[in-house]
């Protein structure tokens, strides 16, 4: 079983999250603040951390920064009542992988956790396999049988992101923030250029397709065998 650490100072919320996760087959550990959470991390293997922001002794932002020192790939999901854009931005800058606003939908919580765990596995292995296609993160290479394409870094990261979450729609802003960074001055046209280059480069590859979703953004679709 996978181990999830729930860090939440509100007892009722903490218990509810633990029950929801346990019924989905996860093993849960809990802490009421960041200091206790770090103690658990030191003594117990944890696969993912769900944490609140407003906690005594050590808040969620500082805990996230400490966890990132501990591990680059440990998935972190912030679940908080703080919903201002500046709060989310601060969370992502601290190192969280995802951010949810309370009250949360239980099914969405579980789906996001599963997506983060899958992403962490891919990141640790540094390779993503789609049928006969292999994306090698370290080499920026996309391979199919004897065909090897070495991509420019931004194109590869964009393709890797989309294929890591097939059928998930990413807004243009989400992709710009993740691939180019929140502080980048790169304009929206740059994303369009990179998407078009990828679509042209892999136009004849039947394993996957990048689709523009009108008014929303882009998604990758894995073709059925």
């Amino acid at each position: 079983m996978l181990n999830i650490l729930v860090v939440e100072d509100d007892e009722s919320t903490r218990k509810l999250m633990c029950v929801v996760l346990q019924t989905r087959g996860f093993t849960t550990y809990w802490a009421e603040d960041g200091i206790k959470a770090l103690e658990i991390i030191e003594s117990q293997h944890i696969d993912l951390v769900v944490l609140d922001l407003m906690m005594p002794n050590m808040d969620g932002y500082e805990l996230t920064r400490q966890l990132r020192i501990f591990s680059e790939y440990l998935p972190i999901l912030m679940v908080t009542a703080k919903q201002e854009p500046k709060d989310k931005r601060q969370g992502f800058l601290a190192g969280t992988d995802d951010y949810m606003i309370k009250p949360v939908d239980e099914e969405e919580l579980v789906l996001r956790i599963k997506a983060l765990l899958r992403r962490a596995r891919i990141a640790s292995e540094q390779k993503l396999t789609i049928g006969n296609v292999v994306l090698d993160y370290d080499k920026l290479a996309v391979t199919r049988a004897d065909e090897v394409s070495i991509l420019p870094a931004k194109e590869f990261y964009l393709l890797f992101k989309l294929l890591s979450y097939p059928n998930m729609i990413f807004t243009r802003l989400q992709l710009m923030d993740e691939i180019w960074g929140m502080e980048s001055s790169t304009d929206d046209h740059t994303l369009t250029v990179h998407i078009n280059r990828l679509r042209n480069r892999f136009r004849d590859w039947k394993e996957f397709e990048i689709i523009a979703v009108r008014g929303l953004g882009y998604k990758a679709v894995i073709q059925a065998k």
Side-chain angles (χ1 to χ4, degrees), residues 56-68:
N57 303 319
M58 179 186 292
D59 68 16
Y61 295 126
E62 180 59 29
L63 173 57
T64 299
R65 285 188 282 268
Q66 293 297 320
L67 291 174
R68 277 291 161 257

Side-chain angles (χ1 to χ4, degrees), residues 96-110:
T96 191
D97 296 289
D98 204 353
Y99 194 107
M100 293 185 72
I101 305 298
K102 294 178 180 178
V104 300
D105 177 81
E106 294 177 7
E107 290 302 320
E108 182 182 357
L109 174 67
V110 173

Side-chain angles (χ1 to χ4, degrees), residues 47-51 53 60 64-65 67-68 71-79 88-100 112-113 115-121 123 161 165 168 170 174 178 182:
D47 295 290
L48 181 143
V49 177
V50 179
L51 58 85
L53 283 181
T64 299
R65 285 188 282 268
L67 291 174
R68 277 291 161 257
S71 172
E72 179 181 357
Y73 297 119
L74 177 66
I76 301 173
L77 171 60
M78 286 185 174
V79 179
K88 293 183 181 181
R89 181 178 293 269
Q90 185 175 349
F92 283 112
L93 289 174
T96 191
D97 296 289
D98 204 353
Y99 194 107
M100 293 185 72
R112 290 199 185 210
I113 285 174
L116 288 174
L117 289 168
R118 180 173 181 270
R119 178 182 178 182
R121 177 181 58 79
K161 174 70 174 181
Y165 300 90
M168 180 179 291
F170 290 95
Q174 283 177 311
E178 175 138 353
M182 291 182 178

